[in-house]
Amino acid sequence: MEKYLRCVLFLTLSLLLLLPAAAFCQGSQGSIKVGIILPATGEKAKFGEIEKKSFEMALEEINAAGGVNGKKLEFLYEDDTGRPDVARSAAEKLITQDQVAMLGGGYGSSETFAIAGVAQQNRVPFLVNTGSDNKITEMKWNYIFRLNQPVSDYPQGLESFMTDIVKPKTVAILYENTNFGSSGSKEFQETCKKMNLKVVLNEGYQSGGIDFKPILVKVKQENPDIVYMISYLMDASLIMKQSMELRLTPKMFVGGGAGFTLPEFAQNAGKAANMVFSATLWYQTLPYPGAKEYYDKFVARNKMPTEYHGAEAYSSAYVIADALKRAKSTSPDDVRESLAGTDLMTVFGPVKFIAYENMTNQNKLPTYLVQWIDGKLELVWPKQTASKPYVYPVDWEKAWK
C-alpha cells in the first residue's frame, strides 16, 4: 500500500511539473488573465481614467465576440499612482501572484520604463500603449513591445507645419523634469537643429508646481517665435493661464501632446486654451476603420469625449486579444512570439512591430497637429486630413477675450 501511495505521489508531482505555463495564466473560470497597469490616482489619473474606460469597452466587445478562442479574456487592473516604484511593485504582483499571461498599459514614461524592466527580467511580454520615452524600446528588450509612437516622432506633424506655414527662427522649450519631458526636450532640440532654428531657452521645471511665472518671464524676455511645452494636464493648464496673464504672445504656443489634448485642458485653462496647438498621435476623423465608431461609442457610453490616449488603450486591447488568439499557448514565450508577428489594423492605425533607428519591437505611425478652436479640439494638419482649417496667424488679444 505504501509503495502504491509513493507511486501515485510521484506521478502526480511529475504531471504538475509537466503542466504548461498556460495553466497558471488562467482564471478560476478558465479565463485568460492579462495585467493592465495605469494611473488611477495622482496627477495623471485623468489619463488613466480615459484609458481604463477604453480598455473596458474593448474588453466587453472582445468577450461578446467569443473572447480568446472561446475563453474569456480578463483584465486585472493595478494603479501605479504615477510613481515608478509603485509601478514596479504592481508589475511584480501581477506576474508572481496573479500569474498573468502578459502585461499591458503603461502611461507615464518613468513608470512604463520601470514596468518594462520587471517584465523583461521575468520574461513576460509587455505591450506598452502610451509611455513614449525612446529608451523604452531602445534597450533591446525582446519581451517589450510598443504600440504608440515614440516621443521623437511627436513633432513630425508640427515640423512640416512650421516649414510650410510659420517659418519661425527662434524657439523656447519648456518641459517637466521626467523621463517623458527630458526625452521630449532632447528630441525636439534635434528637430530644431535640423530646421536651423535657434533654441533661445530650454528649461525644465518640477512637475506639480503652481507658479510658472518666473520661467515664463524668461521666455517673454527672449521673445521666441514658438513656445514648445512638454507637460501633463495640470501643468499645461497653469502654464497657459499664466502665459495669458503675462501677455506672452509668440507666433505659436505648441504642446507636445500629453496634457494639451485632454478635454480637461480646455476646461481648466479656459480662454487661455484657445488657439493653442498640440502634437497629437490620433484623431477620430482619420481614415482608420472603426476610428469614428470608437469615438462615438465612447462619448455615448461615458458622456465625455476621448482622444489619442483612449484610442491607444482601446487598440491595445485588440492587439492583446489578437496575439493571444494566434499564440500556440499562453506561455510567455509563445505569447512573445505571437506579439512579434502582429500585423493588425486597429482604430489607432496599423500595428506591426519593427526595428527602426535605435528601437526594436516598435510600431511606426505618423503624427499630426491639432488646435483648440473655440473650445473644440480640431485636427488642422496635414491639410488632407484636417477636420477644420488652422487659425494662423493668431491674434492673442482677440483669442483671450
Side-chain angles (χ1 to χ4, degrees), residues 258-388:
F260 292 90
T261 62
L262 278 186
E264 288 80 7
F265 170 66
Q267 296 168 15
N268 295 343
K271 58 187 177 182
N274 202 24
M275 302 305 159
V276 173
F277 291 84
S278 179
T280 193
L281 312 187
W282 178 87
Y283 194 80
Q284 61 267 21
T285 58
L286 288 170
Y288 296 138
K292 189 63 165 59
E293 289 79 4
Y294 154 71
Y295 180 87
D296 290 341
K297 184 175 180 179
F298 184 99
V299 172
R301 176 186 173 112
N302 300 293
K303 311 305 179 193
M304 60 181 284
T306 183
E307 39 72 89
Y308 79 82
H309 296 96
E312 289 170 336
Y314 182 84
S315 299
S316 179
Y318 274 93
V319 172
I320 288 168
D322 173 71
L324 291 170
K325 287 176 184 176
R326 291 183 293 101
K328 296 174 184 176
S329 76
T330 51
S331 71
D333 284 342
D334 283 344
V335 175
R336 187 205 66 78
E337 183 179 349
S338 183
L339 264 176
T342 297
D343 189 356
L344 184 70
M345 177 58 73
T346 71
V347 304
F348 191 66
V351 178
K352 190 173 185 177
F353 301 110
I354 63 171
Y356 73 95
E357 295 178 1
N358 295 319
M359 294 171 285
T360 56
N361 294 335
Q362 174 65 58
N363 194 30
K364 186 170 178 59
L365 289 168
T367 60
Y368 308 89
L369 192 66
V370 287
Q371 185 179 24
W372 285 98
I373 302 175
D374 299 327
K376 186 177 179 185
L377 189 66
E378 300 283 359
L379 181 63
V380 296
W381 194 263
K383 278 185 179 180
Q384 62 268 26
T385 60
S387 64
K388 194 168 185 175

Side-chain angles (χ1 to χ4, degrees), residues 247-265:
R247 287 311 193 250
L248 175 58
T249 56
K251 291 182 177 180
M252 285 179 72
F253 283 105
V254 188
F260 292 90
T261 62
L262 278 186
E264 288 80 7
F265 170 66

Side-chain angles (χ1 to χ4, degrees), residues 4 73 169 191 205 207 218 237 271 296 352 355 362 389 394:
Y4 170 77
L73 181 59
K169 294 182 179 178
T191 297
Y205 64 84
S207 176
K218 292 182 183 179
S237 304
K271 58 187 177 182
D296 290 341
K352 190 173 185 177
Q362 174 65 58
V394 177

Side-chain angles (χ1 to χ4, degrees), residues 123-141:
R123 299 171 64 87
V124 171
F126 174 30
L127 176 62
V128 177
N129 61 255
T130 299
S132 59
D133 186 352
N134 277 44
K135 73 176 183 179
I136 293 167
T137 48
E138 286 180 337
M139 304 298 291
K140 309 304 179 188
W141 286 338

